[in-house]
Amino acid sequence: MEFYDVVKKRRSVRAFKNDPICEKSLARIAQSLQDAPSACNIQPWKFQIVFNQELRNKIYSCYTRPWLKEAPAIIVALADMDKCWKRLDGRPIADMDIGIAMEHVVLAAAAENLGTCWICAYNVEEMDRSLEIRQPWTVLAISPLGYAASAPAPINRKPITEIFEVIN
Ligand SMILES: Cc1cc2nc3c(=O)[nH]c(=O)nc-3n(C[C@H](O)[C@H](O)[C@H](O)COP(=O)(O)O)c2cc1C
């Protein structure tokens, strides 16, 4: 699929079929993750694609929207807060690194006709505890992964003139 078509097609999906996920698609998504940039190329991430029902139940207990249960898999994006590069003021850059990597995964999934939805609105400590993730690792984002059961409703975007400026 052409890049701009993928970008246009990607939307947050919150309704899923229970169809099995194509393994070749998973391999290409993994490749897209490997190609993601990171500060100093540290790649302070690990992405888990969770099919295991017991683990999925633990994730649901931290983010209880029913639509999350529909997806056959959940992506868990983990960051290494120690190893990641630190800004000059000492703040870890992990949010940005994992954000980029996650978007590689999300766009690759869209190219594979797989739906995703960024999820960050959970208690991070509770999620880490529930999944037995130990410091310096932490779960910075999760997403369902599966084939969309319905198309998301049209969405409004800010006008380009408001968000993009060319300054000569
Ligand atoms: C960093 C980030 C965190 C998000 N967290 C959540 C979330 O916790 N729950 C949710 O339903 N959607 C979440 N979203 C999805 C946004 O609501 C969605 O991207 C936005 O409404 C635009 O819609 P679109 O993704 O279909 O273009 C998140 C998106 C981003 C980028």
Side-chain angles (χ1 to χ4, degrees):
M1 209 186 295
E2 212 261 329
F3 175 76
Y4 295 105
D5 294 336
V6 174
V7 170
K8 195 48 106 181
K9 179 188 156 118
R10 185 226 54 85
R11 291 291 315 283
S12 292
V13 172
R14 297 183 181 88
F16 293 91
K17 298 178 194 163
N18 196 22
D19 297 356
I21 294 174
C22 168
E23 287 195 12
K24 285 188 177 152
S25 293
L26 273 188
R28 285 188 288 261
I29 290 169
Q31 183 65 62
S32 304
L33 167 64
Q34 192 185 39
D35 290 336
S38 58
C40 281
N41 195 30
I42 290 172
Q43 307 159 63
W45 53 60
K46 209 180 316 174
F47 278 61
Q48 299 173 332
I49 311 296
V50 180
F51 290 93
N52 178 278
Q53 191 61 55
E54 198 183 326
L55 270 184
R56 278 162 58 193
N57 287 342
K58 290 181 178 175
I59 297 169
Y60 301 142
S61 72
C62 303
Y63 190 81
T64 55
R65 311 303 183 279
W67 48 265
L68 186 58
K69 287 199 170 185
E70 294 174 11
I74 299 180
I75 302 168
V76 176
L78 295 152
D80 183 331
M81 302 304 288
D82 276 357
K83 292 230 173 72
C84 73
W85 187 76
K86 313 294 180 307
R87 286 180 179 275
L88 302 188
D89 61 9
R91 279 185 295 152
I93 201 89
D95 267 353
M96 208 172 279
D97 281 344
I98 273 57
I100 292 167
M102 181 72 163
E103 195 61 10
H104 269 227
V105 166
V106 160
L107 287 173
E112 300 292 334
N113 284 316
L114 281 160
T116 57
C117 178
W118 273 85
I119 295 173
C120 295
Y122 54 84
N123 181 303
V124 174
E125 276 180 26
E126 188 191 349
M127 185 70 83
D128 288 350
R129 205 178 323 114
S130 183
L131 298 182
E132 296 178 45
I133 303 300
R134 309 215 187 287
Q135 284 183 1
W137 291 93
T138 189
V139 179
L140 284 191
I142 62 167
S143 168
L145 182 68
Y147 298 99
S150 56
I155 193 163
N156 283 328
R157 302 291 193 198
K158 290 181 180 177
I160 287 177
T161 48
E162 197 182 310
I163 59 169
F164 185 85
E165 197 178 7
V166 176
I167 303 174
N168 290 311

